[in-house]
Amino acid sequence: MNSTNRNNSFLSSSLTMGERICSAFIPFVAVIDFLIYAMANCFECRPRHKKIRYGFTDLTRLSNETRFTVNEVEALYELFKKLSSSIIDDGLIHKEELRLALFQTPFGENLLLDRVFDLFDEKKNGVIEFEEFVRALNVFHPYAPIEAKIDFAFRLYDLRQTGFIEREEVKQMVVAILMESDMILSDDLLEAIIDQTFADADADKDGRINKEEWKAFVLRNPSVLKNMTLPHLKDITTLFPSFVHDTEVEDL
Amino acid sequence: MPPRFEQADVTLDDVDAIFNESGDSRNLVVERREEGPVVPATMNAFELISTSQGLNLSSLFEKQMGLVKRETRFTSKCSANEIISKIEEAAMPLGFDVKKNNYKMKLLGEKTGRKGHLAVTTEIFQVAPSLCMVELRKSGGDTLEFHKFYNNLSTGLKDIVWKTTDEREVEEKNGSAAGSTSSQ
């Protein structure tokens, strides 16, 4: 009698057919959810609630690989921590965070920002890690060799990484910088600007600038590389003081 | 590592020569250029591109530390000569002495400020026919005073400024297009 009652109660339950089907699936969803989470750990897709931290050994290694002293690397770490926690606090600089730092807004598109981000992101994993940050800034140091700056700038402007800075690419970049001030120029005017530059830079007149032509052009026009040097890097320890006792305390 | 000194970005030799204490005018700088019409320095496409905010990483340091930029730029559709006279017109009533040399100007404040007299260097570049880029740089004095000066100056320059990347520009972009375009 009890069993029939139970059977009857199931059939005459107030749940709709849809709700009953859903409730039947719940245990399966729970199992799948658990499997995904377990598998995610294998693929390192775990939610980034764990922040990446750097210890003294890492900072020393970076100092050895670059022209920054350990104190300067520590100071850069202070700057990096500020930048990398501005939107997503995960110890990594995302593109929005770089955009926020340079444009005061995380929104919008900017071709030149994309290029800078791309060059900093050596591993091409969509984020700038601290090592990448330090190694890139190493090129901007006032004492960095001019060849490193020439090379970095060439790769920056070689939008499609073909080994040449093409006319079309220069046009795209000029349009992009004018857009920052909401300036739109006529095509004729744009062409005139590029004509003049290419007359100076494109020695073999093939409509594109190769590495050698770029080097010669930059040496004739040093102000082209003006933004490749950050004088503040020399005084980084005064701009971002970090206290010595913190060094030992950082977890690895 | 032996100390290495940064190369100066800009040579102010010709401008500085104007301030040469020597009374003998024959000692003034000799024009290095050949005889002929003097034109403003051209700004090539890459120099123009490098003014992008995305490529000026110095703001990573300046913004974080509350440092204030020491230079500002605007573009103009007026001729370089018109720009020069307009700047001169606007700067003199603000108590600034104007010295010109080709397309570089040096503005010297008569009043002593927090860090001495405010000195501003202005340079005009030709980006394209009928498009000039004007750079104003603080070359002496207090940076905050430089910004105050520029704010005051820009009211006088409304007619020649076409576009500015100045963050403190409050004008609606729509409104300014109509208001700041000068008569060609």
Side-chain angles (χ1 to χ4, degrees):
Chain A
M1 195 111 160
N2 282 344
S3 57
T4 35
N5 277 350
R6 252 182 284 136
N7 286 336
N8 287 342
S9 66
F10 177 75
L11 290 168
S12 62
S13 130
S14 54
L15 292 174
T16 66
M17 181 59 83
E19 283 166 327
R20 270 183 244 148
I21 292 173
C22 281
S23 63
F25 272 107
I26 285 172
F28 292 105
V29 171
V31 169
I32 291 168
D33 192 48
F34 170 73
L35 282 176
I36 289 175
Y37 190 77
M39 297 272 278
N41 281 330
C42 299
F43 293 106
E44 300 210 321
C45 299
R46 72 180 76 82
R48 293 188 189 275
H49 55 268
K50 191 178 169 189
K51 204 165 147 182
I52 300 164
R53 289 186 189 282
Y54 292 87
F56 188 68
T57 338
D58 305 296
L59 302 182
T60 317
R61 177 178 46 84
L62 279 172
S63 167
N64 291 336
E65 291 172 12
T66 63
R67 59 186 19 89
F68 295 114
T69 63
V70 179
N71 284 340
E72 288 172 338
V73 176
E74 283 181 325
L76 285 174
Y77 191 36
E78 293 304 310
L79 171 61
F80 181 82
K81 281 192 279 189
K82 280 204 172 94
L83 298 175
S84 61
S85 60
S86 59
I87 299 174
I88 307 167
D89 191 6
D90 60 355
L92 300 162
I93 298 180
H94 295 256
K95 193 182 276 194
E96 297 75 27
E97 292 173 325
L98 186 64
R99 197 181 290 124
L100 179 65
L102 295 173
F103 288 85
Q104 286 72 62
T105 169
F107 308 112
E109 292 297 321
N110 185 284
L111 174 62
L112 300 152
L113 176 91
D114 289 347
R115 290 307 301 144
V116 169
F117 190 86
D118 229 33
L119 282 221
F120 270 67
D121 180 16
E122 288 167 31
K123 290 195 199 134
K124 304 284 179 262
N125 57 356
V127 283
I128 299 174
E129 301 168 15
F130 182 56
E131 298 99 270
E132 297 172 323
F133 185 69
V134 176
R135 278 198 289 267
L137 285 180
N138 193 32
V139 177
F140 289 80
H141 196 284
Y143 302 157
I146 189 108
E147 293 81 23
K149 297 177 195 278
I150 293 176
D151 179 72
F152 194 97
F154 186 82
R155 287 186 296 134
L156 198 64
Y157 299 139
D158 178 9
L159 304 184
R160 289 177 288 240
Q161 293 128 69
T162 55
F164 297 91
I165 301 175
E166 272 118 33
R167 216 191 139 94
E168 251 322 295
E169 294 173 329
V170 180
K171 191 166 179 178
Q172 265 182 281
M173 291 188 282
V174 171
V175 168
I177 198 275
L178 293 173
M179 279 312 298
E180 282 179 33
S181 309
D182 293 330
M183 278 191 262
I184 298 175
L185 297 185
S186 69
D187 208 53
D188 288 341
L189 213 46
L190 283 173
E191 292 294 327
I193 297 173
I194 299 164
D195 279 343
Q196 199 158 55
T197 303
F198 268 67
D200 187 0
D202 184 13
D204 63 7
K205 309 287 171 233
D206 65 348
R208 52 193 189 169
I209 301 167
N210 65 35
K211 200 66 192 300
E212 290 310 311
E213 290 170 332
W214 175 250
K215 229 188 256 185
F217 174 70
V218 160
L219 293 174
R220 283 196 303 274
N221 300 279
S223 55
V224 166
L225 290 189
K226 191 161 81 160
N227 62 330
M228 287 303 305
T229 296
L230 298 171
H232 287 305
L233 287 175
K234 268 190 302 177
D235 315 311
I236 189 87
T237 50
T238 49
L239 293 177
F240 296 94
S242 73
F243 300 101
V244 176
H245 72 260
D246 270 343
T247 310
E248 266 74 42
V249 170
E250 288 274 32
D251 343 353
L252 276 156
Chain B
M1 188 189 248
R4 288 186 13 215
F5 301 98
E6 272 174 70
Q7 266 185 308
D9 291 335
V10 146
T11 110
L12 291 172
D13 296 339
D14 25 352
V15 181
D16 284 341
I18 293 170
F19 291 90
N20 198 329
E21 295 298 355
S22 153
D24 188 348
S25 59
R26 277 169 292 164
N27 281 348
L28 276 177
V29 65
V30 173
E31 264 297 293
R32 277 178 250 149
R33 291 194 191 88
E34 298 299 311
E35 285 303 312
V38 180
V39 290
T42 46
M43 185 180 262
N44 64 54
F46 291 103
E47 286 163 333
L48 179 60
I49 291 165
S50 69
T51 63
S52 166
Q53 276 179 265
L55 295 177
N56 274 281
L57 302 184
S58 51
S59 49
L60 291 181
F61 304 93
E62 287 159 7
K63 292 300 182 307
Q64 292 299 324
M65 295 310 298
L67 294 179
V68 185
K69 274 201 297 213
R70 288 173 220 155
E71 67 176 34
T72 188
R73 287 184 204 101
F74 67 85
T75 51
S76 177
K77 282 183 165 178
C78 303
S79 77
N81 290 320
E82 279 178 277
I83 297 171
I84 289 183
S85 32
K86 222 33 203 263
I87 293 177
E88 199 174 2
E89 243 177 67
M92 297 215 298
L94 295 175
F96 277 78
D97 188 46
V98 179
K99 294 277 193 294
K100 294 180 282 191
N101 185 23
N102 294 337
Y103 294 91
K104 277 189 202 159
M105 291 163 79
K106 198 150 180 177
L107 313 173
L108 200 57
E110 283 155 1
K111 293 191 285 238
T112 326
R114 292 203 309 162
K115 290 189 188 163
H117 295 267
L118 179 62
V120 178
T121 310
T122 307
E123 218 171 331
I124 301 174
F125 298 95
Q126 195 89 47
V127 175
S130 78
L131 185 67
C132 285
M133 170 93 67
V134 185
E135 259 182 25
L136 290 104
R137 260 187 321 269
K138 182 203 79 166
S139 47
D142 184 53
T143 309
L144 290 173
E145 282 170 23
F146 167 65
H147 280 266
K148 249 202 295 188
F149 162 71
Y150 181 66
N151 270 337
N152 294 331
L153 190 74
S154 22
T155 4
L157 297 180
K158 260 204 323 258
D159 292 339
I160 61 165
V161 174
W162 181 37
K163 299 287 181 179
T164 175
T165 53
D166 191 4
E167 290 131 41
R168 290 162 292 115
E169 181 76 2
V170 183
E171 275 176 15
E172 281 299 302
K173 298 278 182 188
N174 299 330
S176 69
S180 64
T181 316
S182 70
S183 50
Q184 289 285 332

